[in-house]
Amino acid sequence: IFKKSFYDYHDNFSAKQKERSLAQLRQSLTTIKYKNNYLDGLAKADFIFTPSSWFRYPANKKLMAYKLWSWYNLLLEFFPGTIIGVTGTAGKGTVTNLIYQILLVLQSSKSEKGKAKKRKVFLIGDSWHSRDLNKIIKAGKQSIVVAEVNNRVLTFAKNSKKSPKICVLTNILQHHLDDHGNSFSQYKKIKLELAKYQKKGDSLLINADDPELIRMTWPANVK
């Protein structure tokens, strides 16, 4: 069942890629636990990584007692370059990809003094989950990550208490409320976690045409 599920999920891989990836997974993990035993031994864990949908499954209730991490925490904790984080109810994927494409064009253009030193630019998020996090984290201080961060991923932000250097909010609409007890106020609170932990000198950009965002009180760094 595990093999079938793994292959089905990675339907964008070739048959050889699926086989190789599954073999690497099994070789790199000491133990894989299934069904009723798959959460045994949590108290011994240094870190617990979960998908952002973990709370959707009744069997995962015991995870609520633990500090959980996602790919977002790995970026916040270990990526040495600049993170541009984008969230919003609608349009965040488009805006994230647009920023990424603009940066690629800028990196390929020439400066007045000749060819500018290229920075490595990465695109990451739940819409682009097939990314090598190890490669990104080791990319260096001059590198840039443009991250699409949805409401579920932002529930992990409090476990790092860090924010991207540049944050972008596209809008806040009454969607995805079932992830937050059908509460719009809770949903808004989670969305604002993106920029909650920003430091002096960081930037926050909001869409001034969004009625919900424009009604809020913002810090001095907002544009």
Side-chain angles (χ1 to χ4, degrees):
I1 294 175
F2 177 70
K3 180 178 179 179
K4 182 181 183 305
S5 297
F6 185 89
Y7 279 22
D8 289 345
Y9 185 77
H10 295 85
D11 57 358
N12 58 317
F13 284 11
S14 68
K16 286 186 177 180
Q17 285 178 313
K18 290 178 182 180
E19 187 177 341
R20 183 167 60 248
S21 297
L22 182 59
Q24 289 175 340
L25 178 64
R26 283 176 164 161
Q27 289 170 8
S28 62
L29 297 176
T30 305
T31 306
I32 300 178
K33 298 180 180 180
Y34 302 97
K35 295 185 178 180
N36 296 332
N37 299 320
Y38 95 102
L39 292 180
D40 288 355
L42 288 183
K44 299 178 181 179
D46 295 316
F47 295 95
I48 299 174
F49 293 92
T50 67
S52 58
S53 60
W54 68 271
F55 60 90
R56 287 282 188 176
Y57 303 92
N60 288 336
K61 281 186 178 180
K62 64 170 67 176
L63 288 174
M64 296 179 71
Y66 296 90
K67 183 177 178 179
L68 308 178
W69 273 25
S70 74
W71 61 264
Y72 185 55
N73 301 89
L74 282 175
L75 278 186
L76 294 175
E77 298 287 348
F78 300 116
F79 178 66
T82 299
I83 302 174
I84 302 173
V86 182
T87 198
T89 306
K92 60 184 173 295
T94 301
V95 172
T96 305
N97 194 41
L98 182 59
I99 294 171
Y100 172 69
Q101 297 298 334
I102 290 171
L103 289 172
L104 289 181
V105 171
L106 290 174
Q107 293 308 303
S108 63
S109 64
K110 292 184 177 180
S111 67
E112 293 179 1
K113 296 181 180 179
K115 199 165 187 178
K117 185 177 180 180
K118 287 187 178 181
R119 291 183 173 192
K120 293 179 180 178
V121 184
F122 301 94
L123 178 66
I124 196 169
D126 282 357
S127 296
W128 299 280
H129 52 54
S130 296
R131 292 291 180 268
D132 188 337
L133 276 168
N134 190 49
K135 180 180 179 180
I136 292 173
I137 288 169
K138 292 181 178 180
K141 291 183 178 180
Q142 296 302 311
S143 54
I144 302 171
V145 162
V146 189
E148 177 197 5
V149 192
N150 65 30
N151 62 295
R152 291 182 179 182
V153 171
L154 283 170
T155 63
F156 294 88
K158 65 181 182 296
N159 294 331
S160 286
K161 291 185 169 52
K162 294 181 180 181
S163 290
K165 185 171 182 61
I166 301 172
C167 293
V168 181
L169 293 173
T170 63
N171 47 49
I172 297 183
L173 307 170
Q174 294 199 41
H175 293 186
H176 314 303
L177 303 189
D178 56 330
D179 286 341
H180 309 283
N182 293 316
S183 169
F184 187 40
S185 62
Q186 278 298 111
Y187 174 68
K188 287 191 290 184
K189 183 179 178 181
I190 288 297
K191 280 296 188 184
L192 299 180
E193 286 281 309
L194 181 74
K196 182 177 180 179
Y197 310 101
Q198 282 194 314
K199 299 177 181 178
K200 186 178 180 180
D202 293 345
S203 298
L204 170 60
L205 291 86
I206 68 165
N207 173 15
D209 291 325
D210 181 67
E212 197 63 47
L213 291 176
I214 206 63
R215 281 200 297 265
M216 297 180 184
T217 301
W218 298 100
N221 67 321
V222 74
K223 293 181 177 60

